[in-house]
Amino acid sequence: MIRERFLKILQAGERGEGLSSEDLDFLLSAEDQEEDGALFQTAERVRKEKVGNEVHLRGIVEFSNICVQNCLYCGLRRDNRRLRRYRMTPGEILDCTRNAMKIGLKTVVLQSGEDPWFTQDRLSGLIRRIKEETDLAITLSVGERPAEDYRAWKRAGADRYLLKQETASPALFARLRPGRTLRERLDSLRALKELGYEVGSGNMVGLPGQTEKDLVADIQLFKEWDFDMIGIGPFIPHPSTPLAESPAGDLHRSVKILAVTRIVTGNTHLPATTASGVLDPQGRKKALLAGANVIMPDITPGKYREHYDIYPGKTEPQGGMDSLIQLITSLGRVIGRGAGNRRPPS
Ligand code: SAM
Ligand code: SF4
């Protein structure tokens, strides 16, 4: 049964009215199939109105699994000695982007651990080459770096930057990313915005110690910062990390957070994350039916892909490009044709 208050909050959200923490908490704490259905349908109406039927494909190149950070949740963390480390050469990365263009992609995401070999100059040079040879939009996702690096890469031609807040709880953030603070992360996000990047953030759902209140704070931060893209996915424990014994996040919960985020943020880009597809083969479909409008196919060369082992199951193929296209069209959606910049608000 759909409660009156639940419906009223959904209607207010759909009209674009601000929702309070209590409202968000009320939406998230509901555990009723009918209410879930109403939530997902509202998110889908907002998605259709604000960003349309296109699903944008962003090809991701995971070019180095070397990382100086030691995040407790991540298989690439510095202290994981079981991982075979690799670093693709700039030439190999360039080849990947040429292939991306050949298969019709309009955007590439260059992602890595925090790898100091990729200095400001090396990455600038690579970005320039990619821009000379392709018409791809370039998203970087290489972690926290000095603002001068962000500036140089923007000048070289980078268009977007992906740096998830991970969690809006300062205490949880500091515990999970030793030596780093949420404030520094937000400083980086601010610098990126000021430099004119389209900026992506996001979180993990079900982190050990994360509360309902923390998740509400995540959604509020998404809204307040008006990010251009927001990646929401479940936490998945990796056996070679200190969180090996922690339970995985709940996919259904993660999809609900995605749906609420669509309602409160309107026209932002929301990927159906890879992590969603790892916990449930239908995970990405569920996300696409709850407000998501982006998929990020992995285009890292096969010989490296298996070593970009952030969490278990990540490196297993979730179907190639054909099955993605089939999934998208089976839902009555179309593949995004342009670079997929954020639409101006309607
Ligand atoms: N090093 C960069 C950074 O941390 O921003 C980019 C690469 S990092 C592997 C990309 C994302 O992986 C992180 O933002 C985090 O949300 C996600 N991630 C890491 N470990 C995870 C886990 N165990 N479960 C789910 N997502 C995870
Ligand atoms: Fe490194 Fe990013 Fe993994 Fe943290 S999440 S260990 S910064 S790759």
Side-chain angles (χ1 to χ4, degrees):
M1 210 187 72
I2 305 180
R3 289 163 296 171
E4 204 182 319
R5 180 172 172 207
F6 191 87
L7 204 59
K8 279 205 165 130
I9 298 173
L10 282 187
Q11 287 166 343
E14 193 170 356
R15 286 194 299 268
E17 292 169 21
L19 300 185
S20 66
S21 320
E22 291 75 29
D23 291 339
L24 296 175
D25 190 40
F26 193 80
L27 288 183
L28 291 180
S29 55
E31 277 178 26
D32 174 280
Q33 268 193 350
E34 266 188 77
E35 288 186 340
D36 285 351
L39 170 64
F40 298 152
Q41 280 165 19
T42 307
E44 276 293 89
R45 278 198 303 276
V46 174
R47 190 266 305 152
K48 211 167 171 181
E49 188 198 330
K50 304 285 185 186
V51 295
N53 265 338
E54 288 188 318
V55 176
H56 301 283
L57 298 177
R58 325 271 205 214
I60 180 158
V61 185
E62 299 157 336
F63 66 88
S64 164
N65 69 357
I66 294 167
C67 190
V68 295
Q69 298 296 342
N70 222 3
C71 306
L72 265 55
Y73 41 80
C74 179
L76 308 191
R77 68 196 304 271
R78 188 184 65 213
D79 287 354
N80 179 10
R81 312 254 176 259
R82 290 193 203 141
L83 186 66
R84 215 178 104 196
R85 303 284 172 172
Y86 72 87
R87 176 185 289 133
M88 287 169 62
T89 64
E92 286 175 311
I93 302 170
L94 190 60
D95 269 347
C96 260
T97 62
R98 289 188 190 115
N99 285 338
M101 203 172 66
K102 264 191 223 136
I103 61 174
L105 295 172
K106 308 293 179 200
T107 303
V108 283
V109 182
L110 304 182
Q111 193 181 84
S112 68
E114 290 195 15
D115 180 353
W117 189 86
F118 282 95
T119 55
Q120 183 191 109
D121 282 353
R122 281 186 173 131
L123 209 45
S124 295
L126 177 62
I127 293 164
R128 279 202 189 89
R129 287 291 304 277
I130 296 172
K131 282 292 182 181
E132 278 160 18
E133 290 203 27
T134 74
D135 56 4
L136 295 166
I138 299 179
T139 304
L140 299 176
S141 176
V142 302
E144 289 172 50
R145 299 281 288 241
E148 306 86 73
D149 291 5
Y150 298 149
R151 187 172 300 112
W153 298 335
K154 185 80 184 60
R155 241 186 255 132
D159 303 280
R160 306 175 183 146
Y161 205 102
L162 206 55
L163 186 76
K164 295 196 197 183
Q165 72 211 34
E166 315 294 4
T167 169
S169 157
L172 187 59
F173 187 100
R175 179 143 45 89
L176 296 178
R177 302 195 77 230
R180 309 299 305 169
T181 65
L182 179 62
R183 181 181 290 262
E184 290 162 336
R185 194 82 166 173
L186 295 180
D187 284 346
S188 280
L189 285 165
R190 190 173 298 107
L192 289 162
K193 264 181 167 270
E194 283 169 5
L195 287 164
Y197 281 92
E198 280 197 31
V199 176
S201 185
N203 69 345
M204 281 174 279
V205 176
L207 288 165
Q210 190 179 41
T211 64
E212 193 71 24
K213 217 169 125 221
D214 296 336
L215 290 167
V216 167
D218 275 334
I219 300 173
Q220 282 178 316
L221 201 138
F222 294 154
K223 169 78 181 158
E224 192 188 321
W225 281 66
D226 191 28
F227 292 116
D228 302 299
M229 176 158 136
I230 300 167
I232 297 165
F235 158 71
I236 302 171
H238 188 293
S240 308
T241 65
L243 303 181
E245 302 304 323
S246 303
D250 179 60
L251 177 67
H252 187 65
R253 178 146 216 74
S254 166
V255 174
K256 275 170 74 166
I257 291 169
L258 177 114
V260 174
T261 302
R262 167 59 71 207
I263 294 167
V264 303
T265 62
N267 69 346
T268 195
H269 287 301
L270 295 178
T273 55
T274 311
S276 307
V278 165
L279 287 188
D280 173 351
Q282 300 290 312
R284 296 212 270 205
K285 178 174 174 182
K286 288 178 180 171
L288 285 172
L289 292 172
N293 71 323
V294 171
I295 290 191
M296 297 165 74
D298 191 345
I299 57 166
T300 310
K303 65 174 171 175
Y304 296 124
R305 196 179 296 181
E306 62 177 300
H307 304 300
Y308 201 78
D309 186 22
I310 311 178
Y311 46 74
K314 147 91 184 50
T315 53
E316 270 145 47
Q318 291 183 30
M321 201 66 87
D322 288 347
S323 77
L324 280 181
I325 292 171
Q326 211 180 355
L327 167 65
I328 292 166
T329 48
S330 74
L331 300 175
R333 312 274 282 273
V334 292
I335 310 287
R337 260 176 271 132
N341 293 332
R342 189 170 176 199
R343 273 196 195 177
S346 58

